[in-house]
């Protein structure tokens, strides 16, 4: 269904976005807008441009919607959502994504690789495999190597397996944020949820074992009673510092 919307500007969308927990069941819901916002989401910055995520769309008419809502602990933000988006991290796809980047760069600079493109090729061909490769004891060894190099010069410290997982989740969360702001700009509301049974959701959606759930996002047109209270934020001076 095509719905005419007056899109909000960036700061209007940021200011008006709230986590909305009850969605209207009667308003028409335009799934094309969800697609548009997911297309915007995948333009988000992401670590090494590996794009290690999937977004699983579960609309209200999906046979999985009720089960998924119950695995979001029956939160109203899920049960009343017109569509649920499951943001999934795919650390396991690093090889194919590194190769895609490698081939892309090689394609652009075919025949005439300059210094910059050679660096980029080495990044995806040598450095990324070192960071993302998984071998027994490798995580600890990477941390020791980083510590050793870091004794003499500035060095990236977040190289262990947990750091890599966090990095993948950071990128997924940034994409989720772009999606939610896009939805607000387009006239819809969202609620991110981490109060979920991630293990059962993986099983329900038949996700590969190494994948992880970053969050589930409920979507729809929010009802006024779905916004729980006025917005509260710690004052700027307590959060932002200048040095
Ligand atoms: C990663 C993440 C997980 C969240 N999980 C839940 C959740 O499970 N249930 C819920 O009602 N709200 C959840 N929220 C929403 C927060 O409670 C909300 O963003 C916060 O209270 C600020 O309110 P606002 O989004 O309306 O500005 C989550 C938010 C984030 C970023």
């Amino acid at each position: 269904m095509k719905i005419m919307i007056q899109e909000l500007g960036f700061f209007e969308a940021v200011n008006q976005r709230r986590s909305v927990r009850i969605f209207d069941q009667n308003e028409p819901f335009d799934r094309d807008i969800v697609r548009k916002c997911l297309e915007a989401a995948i333009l988000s910055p992401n670590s090494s441009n590996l794009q290690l995520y999937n977004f699983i769309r579960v609309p209200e008419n999906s046979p999985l919607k009720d089960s998924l809502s119950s695995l979001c602990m029956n939160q109203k933000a899920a049960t009343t959502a017109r569509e649920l988006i499951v943001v999934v991290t795919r650390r396991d796809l690093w090889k194919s994504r590194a190769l895609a980047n490698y081939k892309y760069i090689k394609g652009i600079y075919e025949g005439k690789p300059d210094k910059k493109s050679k660096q980029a090729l080495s990044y995806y061909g040598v450095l990324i495999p070192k960071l993302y490769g998984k071998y027994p004891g490798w995580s600890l060894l990477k941390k020791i190597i980083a510590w050793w190099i870091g004794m003499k010069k500035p060095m990236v410290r977040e190289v262990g397996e947990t750091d890599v997982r966090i990095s993948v989740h950071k990128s997924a969360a940034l994409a989720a944020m772009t999606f939610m702001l896009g939805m607000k700009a387009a006239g819809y509301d969202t609620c991110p949820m981490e109060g979920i049974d991630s293990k059962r959701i993986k099983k329900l959606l038949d996700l590969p074992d190494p994948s992880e759930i970053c969050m589930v996002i409920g979507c729809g047109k929010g009802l006024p009673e779905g916004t729980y209270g006025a917005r509260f934020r710690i004052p700027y001076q307590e959060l932002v510092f200048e040095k």
Side-chain angles (χ1 to χ4, degrees), residues 17-21 75 77 180 191-196 214-215 227-228 231-233:
R17 185 214 57 81
R18 294 294 313 276
S19 293
V20 178
R21 277 84 177 200
Q75 296 190 54
M180 291 188 281
C191 183
M193 285 172 274
E194 61 188 357
I196 58 173
C214 175
M215 67 182 86
T227 305
Y228 297 168
R231 183 176 246 165
F232 164 72
R233 287 295 188 268

Side-chain angles (χ1 to χ4, degrees), residues 9-29:
F10 175 76
F11 287 104
E12 284 172 308
V14 170
N15 282 319
Q16 291 180 31
R17 185 214 57 81
R18 294 294 313 276
S19 293
V20 178
R21 277 84 177 200
I22 306 172
F23 298 104
D24 197 317
Q25 302 303 294
N26 303 313
E27 279 252 347
F29 183 68

Side-chain angles (χ1 to χ4, degrees), residues 173-192:
L174 287 175
M177 187 71 253
T178 303
F179 171 75
M180 291 188 281
L181 286 178
M183 288 288 279
K184 187 70 241 182
Y188 284 132
D189 298 288
T190 53
C191 183

Side-chain angles (χ1 to χ4, degrees), residues 165-223:
R165 275 190 58 231
I166 291 172
S167 161
V168 175
H169 275 272
K170 276 185 211 169
S171 295
L174 287 175
M177 187 71 253
T178 303
F179 171 75
M180 291 188 281
L181 286 178
M183 288 288 279
K184 187 70 241 182
Y188 284 132
D189 298 288
T190 53
C191 183
M193 285 172 274
E194 61 188 357
I196 58 173
D197 184 334
S198 58
K199 190 175 175 185
R200 286 195 165 86
I201 291 177
K202 273 173 69 175
K203 199 165 172 219
L204 177 75
L205 302 179
D206 202 17
L207 297 174
D209 200 41
S211 58
E212 294 181 14
I213 312 291
C214 175
M215 67 182 86
V216 179
I217 304 174
C219 308
K221 187 94 185 161
L223 289 173

Side-chain angles (χ1 to χ4, degrees), residues 5 13 50 64 99 138 183:
I5 45 152
L50 291 176
L64 300 182
L99 187 66
W138 182 228
M183 288 288 279

Side-chain angles (χ1 to χ4, degrees), residues 34-208:
V34 177
R35 185 192 161 103
K36 187 177 169 180
C37 295
L38 286 170
E39 284 171 351
I42 62 179
L43 298 180
S44 303
N46 67 91
S47 186
S48 299
N49 203 22
L50 291 176
Q51 302 159 62
L52 295 173
Y53 34 58
N54 291 141
F55 304 88
I56 315 284
R57 298 185 63 173
V58 182
E60 57 190 340
N61 60 1
S62 162
L64 300 182
K65 167 70 170 49
D66 287 346
S67 312
L68 181 56
S69 299
S70 72
L71 297 180
C72 295
M73 316 317 288
N74 274 320
Q75 296 190 54
K76 282 207 174 90
T79 56
T80 67
R82 307 298 296 274
E83 179 159 349
L84 290 166
I85 307 294
V86 185
V87 183
V88 181
T89 65
R90 295 297 307 270
R91 187 224 181 282
D92 56 310
L93 295 180
W94 72 268
K95 258 187 205 168
S96 63
R97 299 284 158 83
L99 187 66
N101 274 282
Y102 188 94
K103 282 185 177 164
Y104 172 73
I105 295 160
K106 213 157 171 94
I108 298 176
Y109 297 99
E110 189 112 52
K112 45 174 172 46
D114 57 6
K115 198 177 161 209
K116 250 189 170 168
S117 66
K118 275 187 196 153
Q119 272 172 357
L121 290 173
S122 155
Y123 184 79
Y124 287 110
V126 181
L127 197 86
I128 289 293
K130 282 200 179 110
L131 186 60
Y132 280 81
K134 268 185 162 181
Y135 320 98
W138 182 228
S139 176
L140 180 63
L141 192 58
K142 276 190 293 184
K143 284 205 264 188
I144 293 170
I145 294 168
W147 169 79
W148 180 251
I149 297 172
M151 297 276 282
K152 290 154 211 142
K153 59 178 185 178
M155 175 61 189
V156 175
R157 310 289 171 149
E158 286 73 28
V159 295
E161 184 48 31
T162 304
D163 305 316
V164 172
R165 275 190 58 231
I166 291 172
S167 161
V168 175
H169 275 272
K170 276 185 211 169
S171 295
L174 287 175
M177 187 71 253
T178 303
F179 171 75
M180 291 188 281
L181 286 178
M183 288 288 279
K184 187 70 241 182
Y188 284 132
D189 298 288
T190 53
C191 183
M193 285 172 274
E194 61 188 357
I196 58 173
D197 184 334
S198 58
K199 190 175 175 185
R200 286 195 165 86
I201 291 177
K202 273 173 69 175
K203 199 165 172 219
L204 177 75
L205 302 179
D206 202 17
L207 297 174

